[in-house]
Amino acid sequence: MADQTQPWAERTVEVPPQPGGGIPPQRDPYRRGVASVGANAARTEPFTAVDQVPTGTGWPGEPAPRRPLSWHMAQLRKGGEWSAAGALFAFVCWGIWAISGGGDLAGPFLIFVLSLLVAAGLFALTRLLGRLVLERQLGRVRRSARGAHLVTALFLTGLGIAYLQQTQWVMDAWNWLTT
């Protein structure tokens, strides 16, 4: 009664020896979880060799594929919020400085425009250095302009602070708060 107490017990059937000698008896070939492998199925054809086909990516001596202008513009936009925030901060600080100085705004406006041109030049210089160092020397692909935008934002933030330092009432308020 072992089959009634243990329903999962395996049942075996004795198979009489096959004519051919000492081949051991075979188990049931249709058991769950066991794949049948043809032991006598020899491979009749050899494996074929596959040649590599150049795809244009990563082959030495071949130039990298040219990307469209829209791809480059999309890369320049990534991280632009940093430069925009720095430019907004510099503009607000410039406005405080320009209005506090009184008089004609043509001179301060020209100073602000030249400061923005210097920031654009700094952005271009940072991109050029990134291209030379990261792409050519280290072999990396730049996927954004976040680093150049961050450097430009830091410059514009420093520029805004410099504008505020030239405003007398802002410095008086700062000195009053810190002492």
Side-chain angles (χ1 to χ4, degrees):
M1 295 300 164
D3 288 339
Q4 292 176 351
T5 58
Q6 296 178 348
W8 64 85
E10 184 178 336
R11 295 182 181 161
T12 58
V13 177
E14 289 293 326
V15 178
Q18 300 291 324
I23 299 175
Q26 299 289 323
R27 296 187 126 204
D28 184 16
Y30 300 106
R31 287 192 327 165
R32 184 176 179 175
V34 177
S36 72
V37 178
N40 294 334
R43 190 164 181 93
T44 58
E45 57 194 47
F47 288 109
T48 58
V50 178
D51 293 332
Q52 291 183 348
V53 177
T55 60
T57 56
W59 287 87
E62 286 187 21
R66 294 194 51 91
R67 294 190 171 106
L69 182 62
S70 61
W71 183 86
H72 289 288
M73 294 306 292
Q75 301 312 311
L76 286 177
R77 285 187 199 105
K78 291 181 182 176
E81 62 273 2
W82 290 102
S83 292
L88 180 65
F89 181 76
F91 177 73
V92 169
C93 295
W94 169 81
I96 292 171
W97 171 72
I99 293 173
S100 296
D104 189 23
L105 291 179
F109 181 73
L110 182 63
I111 291 173
F112 184 68
V113 169
L114 290 175
S115 300
L116 289 180
L117 288 175
V118 169
L122 178 66
F123 177 79
L125 179 66
T126 309
R127 288 291 292 173
L128 177 66
L129 285 175
R131 180 177 177 93
L132 292 176
V133 173
L134 291 177
E135 288 184 356
R136 292 206 177 156
Q137 296 295 323
L138 299 177
R140 290 187 52 207
V141 175
R142 293 183 299 172
R143 289 176 171 51
S144 70
R146 285 187 181 97
H149 282 295
L150 185 60
V151 169
T152 305
L154 289 174
F155 170 76
L156 290 169
T157 303
L159 182 67
I161 291 171
Y163 284 137
L164 289 179
Q165 287 177 344
Q166 294 178 10
T167 308
Q168 185 61 39
W169 66 269
V170 172
M171 290 310 297
D172 290 341
W174 178 259
N175 290 334
W176 181 75
L177 285 174
T178 57
T179 57

